[in-house]
mmCIF file of all heavy atoms in Angstrom:
data_model
loop_
_atom_site.group_PDB
_atom_site.id
_atom_site.type_symbol
_atom_site.label_atom_id
_atom_site.label_comp_id
_atom_site.label_asym_id
_atom_site.label_seq_id
_atom_site.Cartn_x
_atom_site.Cartn_y
_atom_site.Cartn_z
ATOM 1 N N MET A 28 31.940 -4.201 5.470
ATOM 2 C CA MET A 28 30.731 -3.991 6.267
ATOM 3 C C MET A 28 30.889 -4.558 7.673
ATOM 4 O O MET A 28 30.502 -3.925 8.668
ATOM 5 C CB MET A 28 29.525 -4.628 5.573
ATOM 6 C CG MET A 28 28.202 -4.373 6.279
ATOM 7 S SD MET A 28 27.785 -2.605 6.407
ATOM 8 C CE MET A 28 27.357 -2.280 4.687
ATOM 9 N N ASP A 29 31.478 -5.755 7.767
ATOM 10 C CA ASP A 29 31.686 -6.367 9.082
ATOM 11 C C ASP A 29 32.688 -5.562 9.909
ATOM 12 O O ASP A 29 32.547 -5.444 11.131
ATOM 13 C CB ASP A 29 32.182 -7.805 8.922
ATOM 14 C CG ASP A 29 31.088 -8.741 8.417
ATOM 15 O OD1 ASP A 29 29.906 -8.374 8.556
ATOM 16 O OD2 ASP A 29 31.419 -9.815 7.905
ATOM 17 N N THR A 30 33.693 -5.009 9.239
ATOM 18 C CA THR A 30 34.672 -4.176 9.943
ATOM 19 C C THR A 30 34.002 -2.946 10.529
ATOM 20 O O THR A 30 34.228 -2.590 11.697
ATOM 21 C CB THR A 30 35.800 -3.738 8.987
ATOM 22 O OG1 THR A 30 36.403 -4.881 8.398
ATOM 23 C CG2 THR A 30 36.867 -2.948 9.738
ATOM 24 N N ALA A 31 33.154 -2.289 9.727
ATOM 25 C CA ALA A 31 32.442 -1.099 10.205
ATOM 26 C C ALA A 31 31.546 -1.437 11.387
ATOM 27 O O ALA A 31 31.512 -0.708 12.390
ATOM 28 C CB ALA A 31 31.613 -0.493 9.069
ATOM 29 N N ALA A 32 30.815 -2.549 11.281
ATOM 30 C CA ALA A 32 29.918 -2.961 12.364
ATOM 31 C C ALA A 32 30.706 -3.279 13.629
ATOM 32 O O ALA A 32 30.274 -2.947 14.745
ATOM 33 C CB ALA A 32 29.100 -4.173 11.934
ATOM 34 N N PHE A 33 31.879 -3.913 13.470
ATOM 35 C CA PHE A 33 32.719 -4.266 14.618
ATOM 36 C C PHE A 33 33.252 -3.010 15.302
ATOM 37 O O PHE A 33 33.229 -2.895 16.533
ATOM 38 C CB PHE A 33 33.884 -5.155 14.154
ATOM 39 C CG PHE A 33 34.773 -5.635 15.271
ATOM 40 C CD1 PHE A 33 34.338 -6.611 16.162
ATOM 41 C CD2 PHE A 33 36.043 -5.106 15.441
ATOM 42 C CE1 PHE A 33 35.152 -7.056 17.192
ATOM 43 C CE2 PHE A 33 36.869 -5.539 16.465
ATOM 44 C CZ PHE A 33 36.419 -6.521 17.342
ATOM 45 N N LEU A 34 33.716 -2.041 14.521
ATOM 46 C CA LEU A 34 34.248 -0.793 15.090
ATOM 47 C C LEU A 34 33.167 0.012 15.795
ATOM 48 O O LEU A 34 33.437 0.706 16.775
ATOM 49 C CB LEU A 34 34.898 0.056 13.988
ATOM 50 C CG LEU A 34 36.150 -0.533 13.316
ATOM 51 C CD1 LEU A 34 36.744 0.464 12.343
ATOM 52 C CD2 LEU A 34 37.185 -0.948 14.340
ATOM 53 N N GLU A 35 31.934 -0.081 15.285
ATOM 54 C CA GLU A 35 30.819 0.648 15.900
ATOM 55 C C GLU A 35 30.556 0.173 17.333
ATOM 56 O O GLU A 35 30.019 0.907 18.148
ATOM 57 C CB GLU A 35 29.544 0.458 15.069
ATOM 58 C CG GLU A 35 29.581 1.093 13.696
ATOM 59 C CD GLU A 35 29.000 2.491 13.662
ATOM 60 O OE1 GLU A 35 28.671 3.036 14.723
ATOM 61 O OE2 GLU A 35 28.884 3.029 12.544
ATOM 62 N N GLU A 36 30.935 -1.068 17.623
ATOM 63 C CA GLU A 36 30.712 -1.614 18.960
ATOM 64 C C GLU A 36 31.734 -1.109 19.977
ATOM 65 O O GLU A 36 31.534 -1.211 21.183
ATOM 66 C CB GLU A 36 30.770 -3.150 18.918
ATOM 67 C CG GLU A 36 29.660 -3.787 18.087
ATOM 68 C CD GLU A 36 29.783 -5.300 18.046
ATOM 69 O OE1 GLU A 36 30.654 -5.836 18.761
ATOM 70 O OE2 GLU A 36 29.017 -5.943 17.303
ATOM 71 N N LEU A 37 32.849 -0.548 19.487
ATOM 72 C CA LEU A 37 33.902 -0.062 20.373
ATOM 73 C C LEU A 37 33.570 1.320 20.908
ATOM 74 O O LEU A 37 32.736 2.042 20.340
ATOM 75 C CB LEU A 37 35.245 -0.011 19.625
ATOM 76 C CG LEU A 37 35.730 -1.310 18.953
ATOM 77 C CD1 LEU A 37 37.029 -1.043 18.215
ATOM 78 C CD2 LEU A 37 35.907 -2.424 19.974
ATOM 79 N N ASP A 38 34.242 1.697 21.986
ATOM 80 C CA ASP A 38 34.126 3.073 22.455
ATOM 81 C C ASP A 38 34.731 3.998 21.409
ATOM 82 O O ASP A 38 35.549 3.579 20.584
ATOM 83 C CB ASP A 38 34.869 3.244 23.793
ATOM 84 C CG ASP A 38 34.178 2.475 24.916
ATOM 85 O OD1 ASP A 38 32.973 2.192 24.769
ATOM 86 O OD2 ASP A 38 34.850 2.148 25.920
ATOM 87 N N ALA A 39 34.347 5.261 21.474
ATOM 88 C CA ALA A 39 34.746 6.218 20.437
ATOM 89 C C ALA A 39 36.269 6.283 20.266
ATOM 90 O O ALA A 39 36.793 6.225 19.149
ATOM 91 C CB ALA A 39 34.190 7.595 20.777
ATOM 92 N N LYS A 40 37.011 6.393 21.362
ATOM 93 C CA LYS A 40 38.469 6.514 21.270
ATOM 94 C C LYS A 40 39.105 5.231 20.747
ATOM 95 O O LYS A 40 40.049 5.258 19.961
ATOM 96 C CB LYS A 40 39.052 6.878 22.634
ATOM 97 C CG LYS A 40 38.728 8.304 23.073
ATOM 98 C CD LYS A 40 39.403 8.649 24.390
ATOM 99 C CE LYS A 40 39.093 10.089 24.800
ATOM 100 N NZ LYS A 40 39.733 10.446 26.092
ATOM 101 N N GLU A 41 38.583 4.079 21.191
ATOM 102 C CA GLU A 41 39.093 2.796 20.707
ATOM 103 C C GLU A 41 38.796 2.631 19.217
ATOM 104 O O GLU A 41 39.619 2.097 18.467
ATOM 105 C CB GLU A 41 38.461 1.657 21.496
ATOM 106 C CG GLU A 41 38.904 1.610 22.961
ATOM 107 C CD GLU A 41 38.018 0.718 23.807
ATOM 108 O OE1 GLU A 41 36.947 0.306 23.309
ATOM 109 O OE2 GLU A 41 38.400 0.431 24.962
ATOM 110 N N CYS A 42 37.630 3.119 18.797
ATOM 111 C CA CYS A 42 37.248 3.051 17.386
ATOM 112 C C CYS A 42 38.206 3.886 16.542
ATOM 113 O O CYS A 42 38.645 3.462 15.468
ATOM 114 C CB CYS A 42 35.809 3.541 17.211
ATOM 115 S SG CYS A 42 35.246 3.553 15.506
ATOM 116 N N ALA A 43 38.514 5.093 17.022
ATOM 117 C CA ALA A 43 39.436 5.969 16.285
ATOM 118 C C ALA A 43 40.812 5.324 16.155
ATOM 119 O O ALA A 43 41.442 5.379 15.092
ATOM 120 C CB ALA A 43 39.540 7.314 16.995
ATOM 121 N N LEU A 44 41.286 4.692 17.228
ATOM 122 C CA LEU A 44 42.585 4.022 17.200
ATOM 123 C C LEU A 44 42.566 2.845 16.237
ATOM 124 O O LEU A 44 43.476 2.662 15.416
ATOM 125 C CB LEU A 44 42.950 3.546 18.616
ATOM 126 C CG LEU A 44 44.233 2.712 18.755
ATOM 127 C CD1 LEU A 44 45.437 3.494 18.233
ATOM 128 C CD2 LEU A 44 44.436 2.300 20.205
ATOM 129 N N ALA A 45 41.499 2.036 16.318
ATOM 130 C CA ALA A 45 41.386 0.862 15.442
ATOM 131 C C ALA A 45 41.258 1.272 13.982
ATOM 132 O O ALA A 45 41.824 0.622 13.088
ATOM 133 C CB ALA A 45 40.194 0.016 15.866
ATOM 134 N N PHE A 46 40.535 2.351 13.729
ATOM 135 C CA PHE A 46 40.341 2.801 12.346
ATOM 136 C C PHE A 46 41.671 3.181 11.700
ATOM 137 O O PHE A 46 41.896 2.945 10.514
ATOM 138 C CB PHE A 46 39.382 3.991 12.299
ATOM 139 C CG PHE A 46 38.996 4.403 10.911
ATOM 140 C CD1 PHE A 46 37.951 3.772 10.264
ATOM 141 C CD2 PHE A 46 39.691 5.390 10.229
ATOM 142 C CE1 PHE A 46 37.589 4.122 8.969
ATOM 143 C CE2 PHE A 46 39.352 5.757 8.939
ATOM 144 C CZ PHE A 46 38.297 5.113 8.311
ATOM 145 N N ARG A 47 42.566 3.747 12.495
ATOM 146 C CA ARG A 47 43.878 4.136 11.969
ATOM 147 C C ARG A 47 44.739 2.931 11.605
ATOM 148 O O ARG A 47 45.740 3.067 10.897
ATOM 149 C CB ARG A 47 44.595 5.014 12.991
ATOM 150 C CG ARG A 47 44.001 6.410 13.126
ATOM 151 C CD ARG A 47 44.834 7.283 14.054
ATOM 152 N NE ARG A 47 44.426 8.675 13.991
ATOM 153 C CZ ARG A 47 43.632 9.266 14.876
ATOM 154 N NH1 ARG A 47 43.153 8.575 15.895
ATOM 155 N NH2 ARG A 47 43.305 10.544 14.744
ATOM 156 N N LEU A 48 44.376 1.746 12.090
ATOM 157 C CA LEU A 48 45.115 0.530 11.769
ATOM 158 C C LEU A 48 44.682 -0.079 10.438
ATOM 159 O O LEU A 48 45.362 -0.949 9.899
ATOM 160 C CB LEU A 48 44.919 -0.517 12.879
ATOM 161 C CG LEU A 48 45.408 -0.132 14.280
ATOM 162 C CD1 LEU A 48 45.042 -1.229 15.268
ATOM 163 C CD2 LEU A 48 46.907 0.126 14.283
ATOM 164 N N ILE A 49 43.537 0.366 9.915
ATOM 165 C CA ILE A 49 43.016 -0.182 8.657
ATOM 166 C C ILE A 49 43.844 0.358 7.493
ATOM 167 O O ILE A 49 44.229 1.530 7.471
ATOM 168 C CB ILE A 49 41.529 0.205 8.481
ATOM 169 C CG1 ILE A 49 40.706 -0.361 9.639
ATOM 170 C CG2 ILE A 49 40.998 -0.316 7.160
ATOM 171 C CD1 ILE A 49 39.278 0.109 9.646
ATOM 172 N N SER A 50 44.090 -0.471 6.528
ATOM 173 C CA SER A 50 44.889 -0.066 5.367
ATOM 174 C C SER A 50 44.213 1.067 4.618
ATOM 175 O O SER A 50 42.981 1.204 4.627
ATOM 176 C CB SER A 50 45.095 -1.247 4.419
ATOM 177 O OG SER A 50 43.853 -1.671 3.884
ATOM 178 N N LYS A 51 45.012 1.886 3.967
ATOM 179 C CA LYS A 51 44.508 3.049 3.240
ATOM 180 C C LYS A 51 43.497 2.636 2.159
ATOM 181 O O LYS A 51 42.496 3.312 1.944
ATOM 182 C CB LYS A 51 45.682 3.795 2.610
ATOM 183 C CG LYS A 51 45.319 5.070 1.863
ATOM 184 C CD LYS A 51 46.569 5.760 1.369
ATOM 185 C CE LYS A 51 46.222 7.029 0.600
ATOM 186 N NZ LYS A 51 45.561 6.748 -0.685
ATOM 187 N N GLU A 52 43.770 1.500 1.509
ATOM 188 C CA GLU A 52 42.883 1.043 0.430
ATOM 189 C C GLU A 52 41.500 0.659 0.949
ATOM 190 O O GLU A 52 40.496 0.792 0.253
ATOM 191 C CB GLU A 52 43.498 -0.162 -0.288
ATOM 192 C CG GLU A 52 44.801 0.122 -1.027
ATOM 193 C CD GLU A 52 45.994 0.249 -0.093
ATOM 194 O OE1 GLU A 52 45.887 -0.200 1.081
ATOM 195 O OE2 GLU A 52 47.021 0.817 -0.511
ATOM 196 N N LYS A 53 41.442 0.184 2.187
ATOM 197 C CA LYS A 53 40.191 -0.312 2.761
ATOM 198 C C LYS A 53 39.454 0.746 3.578
ATOM 199 O O LYS A 53 38.231 0.682 3.748
ATOM 200 C CB LYS A 53 40.496 -1.517 3.647
ATOM 201 C CG LYS A 53 39.284 -2.206 4.244
ATOM 202 C CD LYS A 53 39.699 -3.447 5.029
ATOM 203 C CE LYS A 53 38.474 -4.137 5.636
ATOM 204 N NZ LYS A 53 38.821 -5.366 6.346
ATOM 205 N N ALA A 54 40.184 1.726 4.092
ATOM 206 C CA ALA A 54 39.630 2.684 5.056
ATOM 207 C C ALA A 54 38.407 3.436 4.526
ATOM 208 O O ALA A 54 37.414 3.600 5.236
ATOM 209 C CB ALA A 54 40.711 3.680 5.473
ATOM 210 N N ALA A 55 38.455 3.876 3.285
ATOM 211 C CA ALA A 55 37.349 4.669 2.737
ATOM 212 C C ALA A 55 36.064 3.859 2.665
ATOM 213 O O ALA A 55 34.980 4.364 2.997
ATOM 214 C CB ALA A 55 37.715 5.201 1.354
ATOM 215 N N ASN A 56 36.154 2.602 2.249
ATOM 216 C CA ASN A 56 34.966 1.755 2.159
ATOM 217 C C ASN A 56 34.379 1.475 3.536
ATOM 218 O O ASN A 56 33.153 1.479 3.718
ATOM 219 C CB ASN A 56 35.298 0.431 1.467
ATOM 220 C CG ASN A 56 35.551 0.609 -0.008
ATOM 221 O OD1 ASN A 56 35.059 1.551 -0.619
ATOM 222 N ND2 ASN A 56 36.346 -0.282 -0.583
ATOM 223 N N VAL A 57 35.249 1.233 4.517
ATOM 224 C CA VAL A 57 34.781 0.995 5.883
ATOM 225 C C VAL A 57 34.103 2.245 6.421
ATOM 226 O O VAL A 57 33.034 2.170 7.033
ATOM 227 C CB VAL A 57 35.958 0.590 6.803
ATOM 228 C CG1 VAL A 57 35.508 0.527 8.259
ATOM 229 C CG2 VAL A 57 36.532 -0.754 6.371
ATOM 230 N N PHE A 58 34.703 3.393 6.177
ATOM 231 C CA PHE A 58 34.153 4.665 6.653
ATOM 232 C C PHE A 58 32.755 4.907 6.087
ATOM 233 O O PHE A 58 31.843 5.347 6.787
ATOM 234 C CB PHE A 58 35.084 5.809 6.266
ATOM 235 C CG PHE A 58 34.664 7.153 6.794
ATOM 236 C CD1 PHE A 58 34.984 7.541 8.087
ATOM 237 C CD2 PHE A 58 33.933 8.034 6.004
ATOM 238 C CE1 PHE A 58 34.581 8.786 8.579
ATOM 239 C CE2 PHE A 58 33.538 9.264 6.476
ATOM 240 C CZ PHE A 58 33.863 9.649 7.771
ATOM 241 N N SER A 59 32.562 4.605 4.797
ATOM 242 C CA SER A 59 31.260 4.838 4.154
ATOM 243 C C SER A 59 30.168 3.921 4.699
ATOM 244 O O SER A 59 28.981 4.221 4.571
ATOM 245 C CB SER A 59 31.368 4.656 2.636
ATOM 246 O OG SER A 59 31.674 3.312 2.315
ATOM 247 N N CYS A 60 30.569 2.806 5.341
ATOM 248 C CA CYS A 60 29.597 1.864 5.913
ATOM 249 C C CYS A 60 29.190 2.236 7.338
ATOM 250 O O CYS A 60 28.274 1.622 7.901
ATOM 251 C CB CYS A 60 30.160 0.442 5.911
ATOM 252 S SG CYS A 60 30.462 -0.252 4.279
ATOM 253 N N MET A 61 29.857 3.218 7.932
ATOM 254 C CA MET A 61 29.598 3.578 9.329
ATOM 255 C C MET A 61 28.400 4.508 9.460
ATOM 256 O O MET A 61 27.984 5.157 8.500
ATOM 257 C CB MET A 61 30.834 4.259 9.934
ATOM 258 C CG MET A 61 32.000 3.330 10.169
ATOM 259 S SD MET A 61 33.414 4.196 10.877
ATOM 260 C CE MET A 61 34.282 2.845 11.659
ATOM 261 N N SER A 62 27.872 4.587 10.684
ATOM 262 C CA SER A 62 26.761 5.496 10.965
ATOM 263 C C SER A 62 27.246 6.930 10.929
ATOM 264 O O SER A 62 28.447 7.206 11.098
ATOM 265 C CB SER A 62 26.168 5.189 12.345
ATOM 266 O OG SER A 62 27.114 5.502 13.362
ATOM 267 N N SER A 63 26.333 7.865 10.701
ATOM 268 C CA SER A 63 26.701 9.281 10.639
ATOM 269 C C SER A 63 27.285 9.771 11.962
ATOM 270 O O SER A 63 28.165 10.627 11.989
ATOM 271 C CB SER A 63 25.483 10.125 10.252
ATOM 272 O OG SER A 63 24.433 9.946 11.185
ATOM 273 N N LYS A 64 26.812 9.203 13.064
ATOM 274 C CA LYS A 64 27.314 9.594 14.381
ATOM 275 C C LYS A 64 28.797 9.258 14.517
ATOM 276 O O LYS A 64 29.595 10.094 14.972
ATOM 277 C CB LYS A 64 26.509 8.878 15.473
ATOM 278 C CG LYS A 64 26.937 9.230 16.890
ATOM 279 C CD LYS A 64 26.098 8.467 17.908
ATOM 280 C CE LYS A 64 26.559 8.769 19.339
ATOM 281 N NZ LYS A 64 25.758 8.007 20.335
ATOM 282 N N MET A 65 29.189 8.047 14.112
ATOM 283 C CA MET A 65 30.593 7.637 14.213
ATOM 284 C C MET A 65 31.438 8.367 13.179
ATOM 285 O O MET A 65 32.592 8.721 13.444
ATOM 286 C CB MET A 65 30.711 6.126 14.046
ATOM 287 C CG MET A 65 32.114 5.584 14.332
ATOM 288 S SD MET A 65 32.741 6.051 15.968
ATOM 289 C CE MET A 65 31.687 5.019 17.013
ATOM 290 N N GLN A 66 30.888 8.617 11.995
ATOM 291 C CA GLN A 66 31.613 9.381 10.980
ATOM 292 C C GLN A 66 31.954 10.780 11.498
ATOM 293 O O GLN A 66 33.066 11.271 11.311
ATOM 294 C CB GLN A 66 30.782 9.480 9.697
ATOM 295 C CG GLN A 66 30.731 8.204 8.886
ATOM 296 C CD GLN A 66 29.895 8.351 7.631
ATOM 297 O OE1 GLN A 66 29.118 9.307 7.488
ATOM 298 N NE2 GLN A 66 30.043 7.420 6.706
#
Side-chain angles (χ1 to χ4, degrees):
M28 184 60 73
D29 288 340
T30 304
F33 183 73
L34 295 185
E35 293 267 6
E36 296 178 6
L37 305 177
D38 292 338
K40 290 184 179 179
E41 292 165 349
C42 178
L44 175 58
F46 187 85
R47 288 186 169 99
L48 299 176
I49 300 173
S50 64
K51 182 176 179 291
E52 295 76 17
K53 184 176 180 177
N56 289 335
V57 172
F58 184 83
S59 65
C60 295
M61 289 180 157
S62 67
S63 59
K64 181 181 178 181
M65 188 55 71
Q66 286 180 345

